[in-house]
Amino acid sequence: MKNIWQIILSTFFAISTVYGQTGLTVGPPRVYFVGESGSSMVQFVDVTNPSKDYTLELAVSYEDWSYSETGDNQLFQAGTLSNSCANWLTISEPFFALAPGESKRLQLNMKVPESLGPESPSVHTTMLFVTQMNPRASTRQEGANIRLAVRSGIKIYHRRAQAENIDVEIDNIVYHKNDSIGSYLELEYQVNGNTWTEGRIRIEYLNQETGKQTKMEDINFYALPGDKRKFYSLLPNGLTAGEYVGTIMLLYGDQPDIKIGEISFKHE
């Protein structure tokens, strides 16, 4: 198991600080399929080599992924998770090369198994990676020779062709007083329904003595059915001592739907 964003971000950071000319653009960031058992579907993935002077030799692969309790992305070997769709996919060119500045559109095909039963997870996922196979040599200021490669991934989703049912429930809110890192709220919530969920967490504080209201910036969240999450939010700097009501809102869906939880606490 690996943290996906640590892999991707560290790779791109190293590239930008060493030579800054070789990269890789893969999109869209998410691909969605909707279809029943036995159906065949097609989507497209665009890959671009932004380098001005270096040809990229590239390969396509898959890995399973899930969200951790705090919403981080975790990677697993392809085909190992119960909601994996890695084995349902084929791509038009699993190996290809891009000249400097060249782009290519790949056809991504999904064949949903005939045997997909009612007990199967309502959402299936995998991660598609495009990986550079010819690392570029470079030399740091210290003189060490290194070779750096680029890898970029996009998330693949599948659900059945049925009416979407999205639901998020707040389970608990706790105020924690902490002198070392600062006081914070802990939110526990659960994602139900039969499809992927995208939404925002909004937090507001009301000073019951002065009536002053303090609003935090919305935080985006992404989740799959059955996810149980914890979210931590430090109280804002400059929040004066007093009796407070903290309100947490989960906004999700197209309308959007809103779930609201409140907690009273004394901030010192």
Side-chain angles (χ1 to χ4, degrees):
M1 184 178 71
K2 298 165 285 184
N3 185 295
I4 179 173
W5 299 124
Q6 287 180 349
I7 294 171
I8 295 176
L9 292 178
S10 62
T11 301
F12 277 102
F13 179 77
I15 291 165
S16 63
T17 55
V18 176
Y19 47 87
Q21 295 298 316
T22 299
L24 178 65
T25 301
V26 181
R30 302 173 190 87
V31 174
Y32 300 96
F33 292 93
V34 179
E36 294 297 334
S37 300
S39 59
S40 297
M41 295 162 283
V42 173
Q43 294 284 4
F44 296 93
V45 175
D46 294 316
V47 185
T48 299
N49 176 9
S51 172
K52 297 179 180 179
D53 61 355
Y54 196 75
T55 296
L56 294 179
E57 297 176 3
L58 301 167
V60 176
S61 62
Y62 306 95
E63 293 188 39
D64 288 351
W65 68 277
S66 69
Y67 289 116
S68 71
E69 187 178 54
T70 55
D72 294 321
N73 295 277
Q74 303 172 115
L75 285 178
F76 304 83
Q77 183 178 347
T80 58
L81 297 186
S82 61
N83 66 340
S84 174
C85 62
N87 296 329
W88 305 357
L89 297 169
T90 58
I91 200 158
S92 55
E93 296 184 62
F95 301 95
F96 60 99
L98 291 180
E102 184 181 5
S103 296
K104 181 180 286 290
R105 171 160 287 189
L106 305 177
Q107 181 173 304
L108 183 63
N109 307 284
M110 175 176 283
K111 173 64 175 178
V112 182
E114 298 279 359
S115 59
L116 198 63
E119 73 286 350
S120 178
S122 59
V123 172
H124 292 83
T125 68
T126 195
M127 177 73 71
L128 181 151
F129 280 106
V130 180
T131 303
Q132 180 186 357
M133 304 303 290
N134 59 332
R136 186 170 186 174
S138 182
T139 303
R140 290 187 180 272
Q141 293 181 354
E142 295 84 357
N145 292 321
I146 58 175
R147 298 181 68 83
L148 296 176
V150 186
R151 180 165 89 151
S152 184
I154 62 175
K155 289 179 177 177
I156 311 297
Y157 295 84
H158 165 267
R159 70 171 178 85
R160 296 186 174 186
Q162 56 186 336
E164 290 187 346
N165 174 25
I166 303 175
D167 183 47
V168 180
E169 296 294 339
I170 295 176
D171 293 329
N172 197 22
I173 303 173
V174 181
Y175 168 75
H176 295 276
K177 184 179 184 301
N178 191 300
D179 295 329
S180 58
I181 64 171
S183 299
Y184 61 94
L185 294 186
E186 176 186 352
L187 166 69
E188 296 182 18
Y189 63 100
Q190 181 168 330
V191 179
N192 304 307
N194 63 1
T195 188
W196 44 83
T197 301
E198 301 180 13
R200 291 169 289 148
I201 299 174
R202 180 175 297 170
I203 302 178
E204 299 177 356
Y205 298 97
L206 176 66
N207 188 314
Q208 294 184 283
E209 299 165 7
T210 66
K212 181 180 178 181
Q213 190 175 47
T214 303
K215 298 182 179 181
M216 307 289 288
E217 289 189 12
D218 289 359
I219 301 295
N220 294 327
F221 72 90
Y222 303 88
L224 295 174
D227 280 357
K228 294 183 178 181
R229 293 289 187 81
K230 289 187 177 182
F231 174 77
Y232 303 94
S233 178
L234 286 171
L235 268 63
N237 292 330
L239 199 68
T240 58
E243 299 286 344
Y244 282 86
V245 172
T247 302
I248 298 183
M249 290 171 276
L250 299 179
L251 302 90
Y252 57 93
D254 296 332
Q255 301 307 322
D257 293 328
I258 302 176
K259 293 293 172 66
I260 301 176
E262 291 187 342
I263 182 173
S264 299
F265 62 92
K266 183 176 182 180
H267 178 54
E268 299 176 348

